[in-house]
Amino acid sequence: MSELIASSYGKANVKFLKVKKNPQNPEEQEILEANVQCLLKGAFDVSYTKADNSPIVPTDTVKNTILIEAKNTDVWPIERFAAHLAKHFTSKYSHISAIEINIVQSRWIKYPLKNGKLHAHSFRHDGPETRRTFLTYEKASKKLTIKSSIKDLTVLKSTGSMFYGYNVCDYTTLQPTTDRILSTDVFASWTFDPKFVPTLDSVFTKADEGLFDTTYEKARATTLELFALEQSASVQATMYNMSHSILEQVPELLTVDYELPNKHYILFNLEWKGIKDNKELFYPSPDPNGLIRSTVGRKSGSAKL
Ligand SMILES: O=c1[nH]c(=O)c2[nH]c(=O)[nH]c2[nH]1
């Protein structure tokens, strides 16, 4: 005998672009391009174990719902839209007990023309960087988690990074350095403290107050600022300092996560040409890469507010 241990289902890669016109000046517009994934949990076991489709809300209906709700409601910021979808699915269908929503927002930014002003409705795709949110909600316990992120913000500094003093053993070939290239594709995430965002309705209030947008802006700005300004001792030390600074600036956060590949740039050996002092021509090494992760939270008793 077998038993179903866990299941979830829904639609992935539901994509839309929504246009928002300024009612006072319809030429002035904003856009939001999103890729939504919405997975349902609940009393669906018989559809797996008894081939009984009766409880299944078809994934096609899930897709239609995402699109119609995107048309009819405010999708800015993505955390608001995720909470709206969670509320919709868990209240409309009594047998849906929990939901997981992932939204990936493309980075379209307005750009300045020769006159120095941003054009009202022309955008530049600043990819592959994306803004993301991952929301989970359980109807019975009302447990809500919101983790938002920046992914694939690629940065490089050509100096101002060191790596020395590490463990040395008979397998060590790496040479210590006080001047190296540091490059990574930033994947930074921040989890909101349920104390500050306890319910789906509180997500709407916090969205109106700007919490999700300002947190995103602070996380992004802090990442870029510290990456540039810090004399980096290691990827580990730099990501910890970034996390600490974001937690200090945003009391509503429980934890900050970073996942950073260390994208190695290696000096070419040009000795075959008699060049012994090459310090400027590097080989962008595609693999392997370092991969460094951390989760930073507050020491118990140190939460602000
Ligand atoms: O910042 C770094 N952290 C490491 O753990 C590591 N390991 C390595 O080979 N180079 C680096 N750089």
Side-chain angles (χ1 to χ4, degrees), residues 162-163 174 180 182 233-236 262 264 292:
M162 313 176 285
F163 191 60
L174 186 75
R180 66 173 183 173
L182 184 61
S234 65
V235 174
Q236 287 90 331
N262 188 6
H264 304 302
I292 301 168

Side-chain angles (χ1 to χ4, degrees), residues 17 31 55 111 116 119 121 145 152 157-158 170 197-198 205 218 233 246 304:
L17 182 139
I31 59 168
Y111 59 89
H119 190 255
H121 51 252
T145 68
D152 295 329
K157 66 194 295 187
S158 50
D170 55 336
V197 193
T205 315
K218 283 177 180 166
I246 294 167
K304 293 228 174 115

